Amino acid sequence: MAATALGTSESNEKGYSDVYLLPKANGKTEQETVRLGTAALFRTLAPQEDVTDWCTFKDLQHITFRLFNGNIFTAQIPRDVKNVLDVGCGSGVWLRDFAEQYPQAQLYGVDVNPPERSKFPAFPDNIAFKKGNIEDEWMFASDIGPSDYIFCRLLMTSLRNWDFVFAQAYQHLKPGGIIEVQETVSDLFAEDGSTATTSPAIRWHQVVRSVLEQNGVDPDVAKRLSPKLRNAGFEIVTDKECRWNTFARPEDGDREKQIAVNFKQVLLNLFEMMTPKLFEQADMSLEERQTLAKAAKQDVTQNSAQRGYYALK
């Protein structure tokens, strides 16, 4: 299963600031300034009336990935990198952080609903946003030029044709360029063997998987990233599986404990934010949907340590 896949092409050819209360492992909260832009809503699968909440939720995911990996990327990027593209850039928070580390690079973010620079002037000057659907021909690429590095993260719920996207990325990369894909399996696991029959949280994820499959989305695409990249022409450099727990073990350090706190909050946010829209396509009444979401939230809140909930990234 691939959580982070790195590939190289063959040699032949934020907006405004908001104060976000970040949950801490010690049970307290810490104020962290998160610069937000407009959110890239996953088509009809995300609640379009809650743009700011969705964006803040995505920023929490960004913070957790950064904490887990020790940086916002894992690729060995040269200091003189010149052209970087974030596909499915959402709020632009990844680009904002990347710009701080590589101020000399020209950065581009493409999304179906990208942040508007005129409304959010706080983004660094070396970031430009383009509107586009990466499952269509990359017409925006003519304005960008070939990239040294392409980044893609957490697009599992919105992409159907990954083969096409990777083929476009291969064509758009410079020879020897790098693509990094950080993706997740849409599922929840339990160390104690709990299943959808006994666990509301796992049952909620099973409904999500069913709806995604009805919409032509592969909930297990993270398991198939490497062969898809290889078929597009990339040489696989790294294929790494990552595990995030919703609970901390006694021997865990501060980093592991904080990741568990963050990921648990991500799940709780998902239950609230994804259920109203996503579950409309499930064969469930409104009352059944609300009951399951409430039970799933309570299950993760109360039983994470007992059941040993975790996900694979």
Side-chain angles (χ1 to χ4, degrees), residues 113-132:
N113 186 25
E116 296 181 34
R117 286 302 304 261
S118 60
K119 293 183 178 179
F120 306 108
F123 279 112
D125 292 337
N126 61 330
I127 297 177
F129 294 103
K130 301 290 183 180
K131 185 179 180 66

Side-chain angles (χ1 to χ4, degrees), residues 3 19 21 24 38 85 107 119-120 123 154 215 227 230 237:
V19 175
L21 292 178
K24 303 300 289 183
T38 56
L85 173 62
L107 313 181
K119 293 183 178 179
F120 306 108
F123 279 112
L154 294 180
N215 282 270
R230 192 176 290 110
V237 177

Side-chain angles (χ1 to χ4, degrees), residues 4 58 75 87 89 97 105 110 137 142 149 152 165 174 211-212 223 229 232 240 244 310:
T4 299
K58 299 299 289 183
V87 292
C89 65
D97 280 5
V110 62
E137 291 290 334
S142 60
Y149 173 57
C152 174
V165 171
K174 296 178 182 178
V211 172
L212 291 175
K223 300 176 182 179
L229 286 165
K240 182 175 66 174
W244 287 6
Y310 66 95

Side-chain angles (χ1 to χ4, degrees), residues 48-67:
Q48 299 193 23
E49 65 275 11
D50 297 323
V51 175
T52 302
D53 289 342
W54 184 252
C55 188
T56 304
F57 162 67
K58 299 299 289 183
D59 286 340
L60 178 57
Q61 288 183 313
H62 171 75
I63 291 167
T64 309
F65 267 98
R66 185 179 64 196
L67 182 63

Side-chain angles (χ1 to χ4, degrees), residues 100-216:
E100 293 178 356
Q101 298 187 48
Y102 292 86
Q104 84 292 344
Q106 179 58 53
L107 313 181
Y108 298 95
V110 62
D111 205 283
V112 293
N113 186 25
E116 296 181 34
R117 286 302 304 261
S118 60
K119 293 183 178 179
F120 306 108
F123 279 112
D125 292 337
N126 61 330
I127 297 177
F129 294 103
K130 301 290 183 180
K131 185 179 180 66
N133 185 340
I134 61 174
E135 291 192 282
D136 295 333
E137 291 290 334
W138 287 20
M139 305 304 294
F140 57 84
S142 60
D143 298 328
I144 293 176
S147 293
D148 299 295
Y149 173 57
I150 294 178
F151 183 78
C152 174
R153 182 175 69 192
L154 294 180
L155 299 183
M156 182 274 298
T157 60
S158 57
L159 292 189
R160 294 163 174 80
N161 195 347
W162 286 85
D163 294 327
F164 176 84
V165 171
F166 288 158
Q168 291 289 296
Y170 187 86
Q171 293 178 22
H172 182 62
L173 274 172
K174 296 178 182 178
I178 300 171
I179 184 171
E180 178 167 352
V181 186
Q182 297 181 2
E183 206 40 77
T184 180
V185 173
S186 180
D187 213 343
L188 188 68
F189 306 92
E191 291 185 341
D192 73 345
S194 294
T195 66
T197 302
T198 57
S199 163
I202 293 178
R203 186 158 63 252
W204 185 92
H205 277 80
Q206 291 302 305
V207 176
V208 169
R209 291 174 60 85
S210 175
V211 172
L212 291 175
E213 290 171 345
Q214 291 173 28
N215 282 270

